[in-house]
Amino acid sequence: MDTDRLIQTLAADNDQRPRPVSTQLAMALLVTLPVVAAMLLVTLGIRPDFMSAMRNPFFDTKFLVTLALAIPAIVISVHLSRPEASLGRWIWLLLLSPFILIVALIVEMTIPQRAPMMARIIGRNSSVCSAAITLLSLPILGGAMIALRHGAPSRPAIAGALAGLMSAGLGATFYAAHCADDSPLFVATWYTLAALVVAALGAAIGSKVLRY
């Protein structure tokens, strides 16, 4: 066999390339999101008045807040999976969710309320809210870590924290379908607490498993 044909043969044998991190993450979400949906349905279930609650703007705002956290975190996580990538201006995308929440809080403050502020903060499900979001986030976080290991983030702890925010945002989106507390004050307190817990967990795990 001459040299040119040998090179072509070796190139053909090596034709299979690893999937990019974005594809790996998409596959991880396709696997873990149905698992989280099943966890919610088997344990907590969807609130009985789900369809009528959709006419409440504050109920819809919960999904806007959680998805506005999850989607930018997905984009930034993929970006940070490259060794030369830095957070830079990308961090501004993470302000979208707090901005929506602040606007909702301002709107709520301008509307006469029958329940006092502390009652709206505590709500009816505060005892399970943060724990439930955290638990629903864990399968997503595990899948995200496996996917991000196919990259080479230069700051693994930050990449892990972003994976945690992504997981918390998606976990909270599922939980919002069960949660009967629609007040932005409740969301700002307990959803935020859960997101911080999962982000810290992601940072701790990422600092170890995403290091290369």
Side-chain angles (χ1 to χ4, degrees), residues 105-128:
L105 286 168
I106 293 173
V107 171
E108 184 182 30
M109 293 301 178
T110 62
I111 299 175
Q113 300 288 336
R114 288 178 291 180
M117 179 180 294
M118 189 55 63
R120 281 176 280 150
I121 292 175
I122 300 300
R124 288 172 283 180
N125 292 309
S126 59
S127 59
V128 299

Side-chain angles (χ1 to χ4, degrees), residues 137-210:
S137 303
L138 294 181
I140 306 172
L141 181 60
M145 289 296 174
I146 294 172
L148 293 175
R149 275 181 59 85
H150 290 82
S154 59
R155 296 183 177 180
I158 294 179
L162 265 296
L165 289 177
M166 172 195 71
S167 304
L170 293 173
T173 301
F174 281 98
Y175 177 76
H178 162 79
C179 182
D181 295 295
D182 299 328
S183 169
L185 285 169
F186 183 91
V187 176
T189 303
W190 304 106
Y191 283 51
T192 300
L193 176 61
L196 292 175
V197 169
V198 181
L201 181 61
I205 298 174
S207 64
K208 299 183 182 301
V209 305
L210 300 182

Side-chain angles (χ1 to χ4, degrees), residues 28-50:
L29 292 178
L30 286 175
V31 172
T32 57
L33 291 182
V35 172
V36 175
M39 289 172 59
L40 176 70
L41 293 174
V42 169
T43 56
L44 299 173
I46 297 176
R47 58 188 284 179
D49 63 339
F50 182 86

Side-chain angles (χ1 to χ4, degrees), residues 60-98:
D60 301 331
T61 300
K62 291 191 297 186
F63 295 91
L64 287 177
V65 170
T66 57
L67 290 175
L69 174 64
I71 294 173
I74 291 172
V75 174
I76 300 173
S77 294
V78 173
H79 168 70
L80 290 180
S81 66
R82 303 195 309 267
E84 76 280 4
S86 61
L87 194 56
R89 298 178 182 177
W90 291 80
I91 195 171
W92 293 102
L93 292 175
L94 296 176
L95 297 181
L96 178 60
S97 179

